Amino acid sequence: MSVKAFELVPAIERIKLMSDKAKTQIECIDFCGKNLYIGTSDCFVVHYMIEERQSSSGKVVFHNEKLGHKYLALKKPVSQLKAASALNRILVLCDNTLTLLNMFDLEPIMSGAKVKGVTSFCLNETPARNSPFSVEICVALKKKQLQYYTATEDRLIHVKDISLSEPAVSLGVDGSFICVATMSQYCMVNYESGHMQDLFPFDSENSKPLIRRISKEEFLLSGPSALGMFVTSAGISQRPPLQWSENLLGVSYIHPYIIALNDEFITIHSILDQQQKQAIPFQGGSFIGNFDGKMFVASQREIYSLVPVAWEKQVQALLADKRVSEALDLARNANRVGLSKDKFNKIFRRFEQQAAFIEFSQQHFEEARELFKEGQVDVREVLSLYPRLLPSNCNFTRSVPPLHEIADVNQLCRGDEAVMKEYRNFLRLYLEDLRGTKAAVGYKQEIDVALLKLYAEVNSPELVPLIAVDTGCDLKDCVEWLEKYERHHSLSLLYKVHKENDKALAVWVKLVNEEIKDETFPGLEFVAEFLANLSDHELVWKYVDTILVKDSQLGVKVFTERPPKEPPSERLRPEAVIDYLHRFPEAVITYLEHLVFQKKLEKEKYHTHLAVLYLDAVLQLMKENNVKKEKLDIARSKLRHILQMSNLYRVQLILGKVKQTDMYAECAILYGKLEEHDKALRILVHKLKDYGAAENYCLVNSQGKDPSVRKRLFHILLSVYLDPSYEQRDSLVQPAVTLLNSNLSEFDTVKVIQSIPENWSVSLLSQFLMRTTRKSMNSCRNKRIERMMSRGENLQITQNSIEMQRNYVTMNDDRMCAMCNRAFSDTSFVRYPNGVVTHVHCAKNKHVCPVTGKLFSTKQS
């Protein structure tokens, strides 16, 4: 596919050379600055001043003026010219003689400035040793040899000879490397090391060998079958070959184009994709070259300039042809002369934006998404293609000049629902990628509103997270959309985000009551949790009844799981909540448990109320037939727990109800609360026959109290066991003995011996007597040890006191505190072992001297 990369503009038309003979022809040219040098077939070098100008119509024209000419007095044509601007000299090859001419008057430099037997030469434009006063030249000789020279203003200095297997026909130089075409093949020579590498053969009889330097250590060669071969100094090719036409006469390079000349056309190929971009008809061409960025092409009698079309225009033309990849490649590799980096980036970014919409229009969605991001396209420019997706308050106007000619996606889809679905899916993915990035800054509302509408259409699971977490969606645009597609839960969340809690709860209540349906609604628990964290208590009371009716245990969580730092509220006083929950017995119990066990409120009415409710629940279960024992045990366990744990409920009230039943364990706990331990223990022993519970009763009710209380309780229990009036007293002998032998029980041994029946044998009490004897002896010995230790400590303190009293301290009106330097106003003072005397209040630490900081031992020796 073609693109107009160059325009052919006349530089010198129908040139008049030194004679009017028809045989006078242009053989070669060179251009330097504004100086154009022409080598002719009749041995003249002609000098023109040529200047590029712009006509009134904006086209490029050339103004030329002939400055002089020089006849070289040789019989053959001038075959090669090369200006060395650094030396103000021209290298001229004519009749196999290389001559050095003055650049301005074309006079030859006579002294040592000629080399004979030369077939071709090449200037090294990238020498390894760059000198401002010389240039490096490689020449090919008729014999099988290359010679390397350094040219100065007045001479050509021979540097090195390089032998070849065949005479050289053409050559190119870059740095230390010389690419040479011999009679039968190409080869690469490193003139510094002398290493030579054969590249590939060619037929010199049927094709002209051409060598052109492309980049650092890379050359373009004319190969077999009209191929242009790229070769590096290492002898390898890193680019695909070019396909040229036959009869190639010359080739040149100006980035990014390879320009080739044959006898009918000038062809332009891109080095980026090796494709032909343009063909310009040109009959009778003889020479083509790139001279410091200026392209000239010559026929036998005329010279033209190939003026590059501005790369921006080339890119725009490619985009107009929808050749996106070519356009962007060209833009990336364009000649940016005169453009700052920022300006180029701005131009390139606009090209990327245009390319993005072209790819978008062709349904190349992956490419479009990448270009939208890389080109930093305003997201509103994309959203404007989708009707009704932009927020209603967005006053966006599309880019001027326009980036595309798309009215909207309906134009691209043409009623095809499948295509429309793909376009909307593309937008969703693009916005998801964009959301949260720097490119989305300032456009959060536009992006979120568009995503909400797209998600609502397809009931995407991403809809709820979009609204719930840091959303930019507003009510005005989104409520109607969510209602249209029946996304009720999402609508409630949107109301919640915008603090419209009443409206949110109204929708949720409809969902709970199944007046409307939404499969994304989490259920009743979600609403209960929301109410539990709601600070508007009026709304809590307005909607909590719905939760309680559906599930009272879930509804009570609205009151029990309030935020920990929520300030007290008159509307949520415990009394008000308890009164309201009266219709829901299980909820009342749960709420009272929360007050008593979790919040640990010490109010008699809460504890009594909870105990009464527990008791009522137990009594109700006891009245029921076929009730599971496990269920009853759990209910009684709860009752016993509060009766035992709490000291705040009204014991007589509970006891009055319990006494009328056979709930003996509960009665025992209640008698214990009334300090009527004898009654409690008789119930445990005589009614329940639970001797372990009786022993545990003594331990629990003496916990945290004086040791004498425990002894008294155990004696009461023993007296119950030994009560002679109890008909079944013989059955209690063994529990009594077990109690006496228990390691947990505590007794007064004398009282026990006095209370036991006379008919008990010593062997029955042997274990008790041995244990108490050992305990008594151990206690006696411990007391003797303590007494002796106390006596020793007393003697030590007395000794220390005597030693301290030996040193007297004189206190008078002149004695000052060593710490504050003030007089002593009373008789009390502190003296440290080092003799420092201070006020009592100045002695902060009795072990550390406040003046010297010396630490005294904290242990008495």
Side-chain angles (χ1 to χ4, degrees), residues 13 51 112 133 160 211 257 355 359 378 527 632 820 823 852:
E13 297 180 356
E51 186 175 358
F133 306 109
K160 193 169 186 177
I211 301 174
Y257 295 114
E359 298 284 24
D378 187 331
V527 184
L632 180 61
C820 65
T852 64

Side-chain angles (χ1 to χ4, degrees), residues 529-711:
E529 183 181 354
F530 177 71
L531 286 172
N533 290 280
L534 189 61
S535 59
D536 187 341
H537 297 162
E538 295 297 332
L539 289 181
V540 172
W541 286 113
K542 182 177 178 180
Y543 292 102
V544 72
D545 194 68
T546 301
I547 312 298
L548 288 166
V549 170
K550 294 286 183 181
D551 187 338
S552 62
Q553 286 299 317
L554 189 60
V556 78
K557 290 183 178 181
V558 173
F559 303 108
T560 60
E561 296 183 0
R562 305 299 300 173
K565 295 184 179 180
E566 183 180 48
S569 167
E570 184 67 22
R571 294 288 288 127
L572 290 182
R573 286 184 301 107
E575 291 81 0
V577 175
I578 292 170
D579 291 343
Y580 184 80
L581 295 176
H582 185 70
R583 293 184 294 133
F584 310 98
E586 291 183 358
V588 174
I589 291 175
T590 301
Y591 185 68
L592 286 170
E593 288 174 342
H594 170 71
L595 296 179
V596 172
F597 299 129
Q598 294 182 24
K599 297 192 74 174
K600 301 189 183 301
L601 297 182
E602 296 185 352
K603 285 192 176 183
E604 176 268 328
K605 58 182 176 180
Y606 301 151
H607 288 246
T608 300
H609 194 172
L610 181 58
V612 169
L613 290 176
Y614 278 160
L615 178 58
D616 290 346
V618 171
L619 294 175
Q620 182 63 32
L621 288 173
M622 294 176 71
K623 290 178 183 179
E624 294 178 4
N625 296 325
N626 300 323
V627 66
K628 290 184 178 180
K629 182 177 181 302
E630 180 182 359
K631 187 175 182 180
L632 180 61
D633 290 344
I634 291 173
R636 291 188 68 179
S637 175
K638 287 184 177 181
L639 175 60
R640 287 196 293 269
H641 174 68
I642 191 171
L643 295 180
Q644 185 67 59
M645 179 274 300
S646 175
N647 295 317
L648 298 174
Y649 59 89
R650 292 163 60 188
V651 179
Q652 292 290 0
L653 173 66
I654 306 299
L655 183 60
K657 292 186 176 185
V658 172
K659 283 168 62 177
Q660 300 173 10
T661 69
D662 57 355
M663 298 168 62
Y664 300 120
E666 289 78 1
C667 279
I669 294 172
L670 292 168
Y671 279 126
K673 293 293 181 180
L674 294 173
E675 297 290 329
E676 297 182 13
H677 301 299
D678 183 70
K679 292 181 179 181
L681 289 170
R682 287 184 183 278
I683 289 173
L684 292 173
V685 173
H686 296 161
K687 297 289 185 183
L688 297 176
K689 301 187 184 304
D690 190 342
Y691 311 125
E695 185 176 345
N696 186 62
Y697 174 92
C698 298
L699 294 172
V700 170
N701 284 275
S702 63
Q703 189 173 4
K705 298 179 181 179
D706 190 80
S708 62
V709 175
R710 176 169 295 189
K711 281 186 179 182

Side-chain angles (χ1 to χ4, degrees), residues 446-458:
E446 288 84 351
I447 293 173
D448 285 4
V449 167
L451 278 174
L452 180 141
K453 293 178 179 179
L454 292 170
Y455 289 157
E457 287 178 358
V458 298

